[in-house]
Amino acid sequence: MQIRHTKILNILHEKKKVTVAELSEAIGVSEVTIRKDLSQLEKKGFLSRAHGYATMVSSDDVSNRLSFNYDVKRRIAQKALENIKDGETIMIESGSCCALLAEELVTQRRDITIITNSVFIASFIRHKSGAHVILLGGEYQNEAQVMVGPLIKKCVENFYVNKFFMGTDGFNERGAMAGDLMRAEAVRDMINSSKEAIILTESEKFQQIGVVPLLPYEKINAIYTDDRIDDVTKNNLEAKKIKIETVTKNK
């Protein structure tokens, strides 16, 4: 993604709705160039356009979350990729960092099989020639584009993998948190079919608290995040035997 596109998306995340003229002035390029950029970003599902302005898509939409701080999420995904070899079968839960990891996998690795409950991820990488995806069945949540419900448990019981990658909506003193009960239950079912649980998340999530318990710290093997994680939090997590891997926030 171009640096200019990232700037547009960051401005849009802050203001929610912004005119072409405002973007042109803020970024220092012509309105013609901004319109072309918005058209490209709309095709990727990152925003919605109307006459003279652009707006964010739903806050629960994966495309929305994927577009915010895209560069650092990409670097987190690339760091996690270093832990995966050719020929592996891995499990990935819905989430923006997870979607970018899936894309890196089918681009940079060979003979990878991805088991996921995310319809978004399956669609996101569908045009990649190396994509081999097993989509778990269940009840479809439209905005999050993810499968949930009791069928997930029945489907995932047929598999066992070494690595399960997941996102989170926040943390509290007990562990990782989620914002949706059914998605949290799906994640816990998937964890039972994996050896290691690995969280991919931006450091901002350590200051946020979800509403549903997701995973206690003793079941988290590693966290990939950016270097804005504070030393106290990092030391506390490492004291719990959780491996912490960081990437540069601004590059």
Side-chain angles (χ1 to χ4, degrees), residues 11 17 20 37 75 95 155 180 183 219 223 238 240:
I11 292 171
K17 178 179 178 180
V20 171
D37 290 338
R75 288 195 290 275
C155 290
D180 182 275
R183 271 184 275 172
K219 290 191 176 183
I223 298 176
E238 290 177 335
K240 299 177 190 298

Side-chain angles (χ1 to χ4, degrees), residues 10-242:
N10 286 340
I11 292 171
L12 200 51
H13 270 276
E14 179 182 351
K15 296 187 174 183
K16 309 305 178 187
K17 178 179 178 180
V18 62
T19 67
V20 171
E22 289 172 331
L23 288 171
S24 175
E25 181 178 354
I27 298 175
V29 296
S30 70
E31 292 188 13
V32 172
T33 298
I34 291 295
R35 290 190 185 95
K36 290 179 180 179
D37 290 338
L38 293 178
S39 179
Q40 293 174 24
L41 292 169
E42 184 181 40
K43 288 179 180 179
K44 293 179 180 180
F46 290 157
L47 52 81
S48 296
R49 293 181 65 197
H51 183 67
Y53 64 89
T55 59
M56 294 305 305
V57 294
S58 167
S59 61
D60 197 38
D61 191 285
V62 185
S63 295
N64 181 314
R65 289 180 277 125
L66 179 62
S67 65
F68 185 59
N69 287 336
Y70 177 91
D71 290 343
V72 69
K73 289 176 180 177
R74 171 69 72 184
R75 288 195 290 275
I76 290 171
Q78 290 170 338
K79 187 68 175 179
L81 179 71
E82 297 174 4
N83 193 39
I84 304 169
K85 300 177 181 178
D86 291 343
E88 285 197 56
T89 295
I90 66 166
M91 200 173 295
I92 302 180
E93 186 258 342
S94 176
S96 49
C97 288
C98 292
L100 292 173
L101 173 61
E103 185 177 44
E104 291 289 335
L105 280 168
V106 298
T107 304
Q108 305 296 333
R109 294 291 183 266
R110 294 180 300 173
D111 301 322
I112 292 290
T113 298
I114 296 172
I115 302 170
T116 184
N117 67 328
S118 172
V119 178
F120 177 87
I121 287 177
S123 176
F124 189 62
I125 62 174
R126 70 187 185 279
H127 296 306
K128 304 292 183 181
S129 59
H132 181 207
V133 179
I134 297 173
L135 184 61
L136 300 172
E139 179 183 341
Y140 180 59
Q141 286 191 343
N142 188 44
E143 287 190 339
Q145 299 179 57
V146 65
M147 308 301 285
V148 297
L151 279 178
I152 289 288
K153 183 176 182 179
K154 290 186 177 295
C155 290
V156 80
E157 285 174 349
N158 294 297
F159 304 99
Y160 190 83
V161 300
N162 285 328
K163 302 180 183 76
F164 170 57
F165 294 90
M166 55 184 284
T168 181
D169 291 320
F171 294 87
N172 68 4
E173 67 277 2
R174 296 183 179 180
M177 301 288 287
D180 182 275
L181 177 61
M182 295 188 72
R183 271 184 275 172
E185 290 177 344
V187 168
R188 289 193 289 269
D189 289 335
M190 294 168 75
I191 287 169
N192 289 333
S193 291
S194 64
K195 182 179 179 181
E196 296 182 7
I198 302 167
I199 291 178
L200 309 183
T201 187
E202 298 167 274
S203 60
E204 286 91 337
K205 295 294 179 66
F206 293 103
Q207 281 75 53
Q208 299 176 19
I209 300 176
V211 296
V212 181
L214 182 63
L215 190 64
Y217 286 119
E218 58 265 27
K219 290 191 176 183
I220 301 172
N221 298 93
I223 298 176
Y224 287 76
T225 187
D226 61 73
D227 59 2
R228 295 289 180 87
I229 179 174
D230 65 87
D231 291 338
V232 173
T233 299
K234 183 178 180 182
N235 292 337
N236 286 340
L237 291 170
E238 290 177 335
K240 299 177 190 298
K241 309 300 182 185
I242 299 173

